[in-house]
Amino acid sequence: MLKKEGFRLTGTRRSLVKAILSLEGHWTIQDTATKLKKDLPSIGIATVYRTVQLLARLGLLSESRIGGGAARYEVADAHHHDHLTCNQCGQIFEFENDQIERLQSLVAKQLGFKLADHRMELYGDCTRKKCPNLGRGRKS
């Protein structure tokens, strides 16, 4: 895909792309660059940043933002899901709900809008006992 888009696919870029696309969960560029530095010591943060941005633009990665915090990425897959993000601990929970999907399509249709894609991200405070910020200055 990169070659088709006109990008050179050097051995280093190939290794970097392979490493990024093998990541699991939701991650920041900074965290990823630190982890990748172990296996690819010559890679700088700017190279990781540019590569992540490129992969996101090509639709291979999805980006999520938590308030004003750093963008988090995940490998895009064919199966759609939505996100619930804790404002306190940053934990991201993935969920699927057919009823919500139907309602989104219905609203789009009622407004004469043809959906091409969508993303639903909900933000709040988790109430899990494992949340490291539970009870620290949070409203009940």
Side-chain angles (χ1 to χ4, degrees), residues 62-76:
S62 296
E63 178 183 309
S64 298
R65 292 203 174 259
I66 303 169
R72 292 181 177 267
Y73 296 87
E74 66 179 317
V75 175

Side-chain angles (χ1 to χ4, degrees), residues 10-23:
T10 63
T12 302
R13 180 174 271 170
R14 184 184 306 272
S15 296
L16 179 57
V17 168
K18 186 177 178 181
I20 289 171
L21 293 178
S22 70
L23 295 170

Side-chain angles (χ1 to χ4, degrees), residues 8-132:
R8 285 184 32 233
L9 195 55
T10 63
T12 302
R13 180 174 271 170
R14 184 184 306 272
S15 296
L16 179 57
V17 168
K18 186 177 178 181
I20 289 171
L21 293 178
S22 70
L23 295 170
E24 295 181 4
H26 303 87
W27 41 267
T28 66
I29 291 175
Q30 183 65 46
D31 292 340
T32 298
T34 301
K35 287 178 190 173
L36 294 177
K37 203 79 162 137
K38 295 172 188 168
D39 294 326
L40 302 166
S42 64
I43 299 292
I45 182 91
T47 302
V48 175
Y49 180 83
R50 284 190 305 271
T51 304
V52 167
Q53 293 300 307
L54 171 61
L55 295 174
R57 193 177 60 194
L58 294 174
L60 298 173
L61 297 176
S62 296
E63 178 183 309
S64 298
R65 292 203 174 259
I66 303 169
R72 292 181 177 267
Y73 296 87
E74 66 179 317
V75 175
D77 57 15
H79 124 178
H80 174 77
H81 61 269
D82 297 306
H83 296 117
L84 252 163
T85 303
C86 179
N87 291 321
Q88 299 297 317
C89 69
Q91 179 82 19
I92 299 173
F93 302 89
E94 295 179 355
F95 70 95
E96 297 175 34
N97 186 299
D98 292 337
Q99 187 176 4
I100 290 173
E101 297 302 318
R102 283 191 300 277
L103 286 172
Q104 289 171 334
S105 294
L106 178 64
V107 168
K109 185 177 180 180
Q110 288 172 344
L111 296 174
F113 198 82
K114 182 179 177 184
L115 286 179
D117 196 10
H118 77 279
R119 177 185 322 192
M120 177 185 264
E121 300 196 30
L122 304 171
Y123 302 92
D125 297 334
C126 69
T127 56
R128 299 173 310 123
K129 290 182 181 180
K130 293 181 180 178
C131 181

